Amino acid sequence: MKRRALAGALAAAVAGWPVTASTGKPQLLEFWASWCGVCRAMEPTMAALKERWGKQVDIRIVDVDEPENAALVRRYKIFGTATFVLLDGRGKEAYRGSGQIPQTVFESEFKKVL
């Protein structure tokens, strides 16, 4: 799945809904920008995670260039794109990473919060 399609499909889930809400389900937030090369390089990984883990983990893309996401960027102290924040089912930060991260790292972190 292309990044824009994935971003579009997930954007509605982020907009107007507090990402830190206690859903009982972990959430992976990807702080992303269309101009970010690493973000684009992560497209296959994110698509694979969504395909394999999407029913157990909410995978959300947060476009850092959208003004409505500014509060989330500040809240999670995001200073660069391709930053990933995993929240447990209570909304507590369980993992943070940035850059090009292997799928196996995310899967290991998902297992810790499930």
Side-chain angles (χ1 to χ4, degrees), residues 74-102:
R74 282 190 306 273
R75 172 181 223 141
Y76 290 103
K77 297 178 174 98
I78 303 303
F79 297 107
T81 52
T83 298
F84 303 88
V85 177
L86 178 63
L87 306 174
D88 66 15
R90 296 179 316 260
K92 181 180 176 190
E93 188 172 320
Y95 170 80
R96 176 182 291 252
S98 61
Q100 199 158 350
I101 299 172

Side-chain angles (χ1 to χ4, degrees), residues 26-102:
Q27 300 172 63
L28 176 64
L29 309 178
E30 178 187 8
F31 290 88
W32 175 89
S34 61
W35 45 264
C36 170
V38 175
C39 298
R40 282 189 251 144
M42 287 295 294
E43 287 177 17
T45 300
M46 296 305 290
L49 289 171
K50 177 71 175 162
E51 178 72 26
R52 182 167 181 202
W53 295 90
K55 291 182 180 171
Q56 297 171 292
V57 178
D58 287 332
I59 298 171
R60 302 169 185 273
I61 293 174
V62 180
D63 188 336
V64 299
D65 291 330
E66 292 295 325
E68 63 267 15
N69 294 330
L72 282 175
V73 171
R74 282 190 306 273
R75 172 181 223 141
Y76 290 103
K77 297 178 174 98
I78 303 303
F79 297 107
T81 52
T83 298
F84 303 88
V85 177
L86 178 63
L87 306 174
D88 66 15
R90 296 179 316 260
K92 181 180 176 190
E93 188 172 320
Y95 170 80
R96 176 182 291 252
S98 61
Q100 199 158 350
I101 299 172

Side-chain angles (χ1 to χ4, degrees), residues 45 49 52-53 101-111:
T45 300
L49 289 171
R52 182 167 181 202
W53 295 90
I101 299 172
Q103 182 175 337
T104 55
V105 171
F106 288 113
E107 291 177 342
S108 174
E109 294 300 326
F110 289 171
K111 289 174 185 175

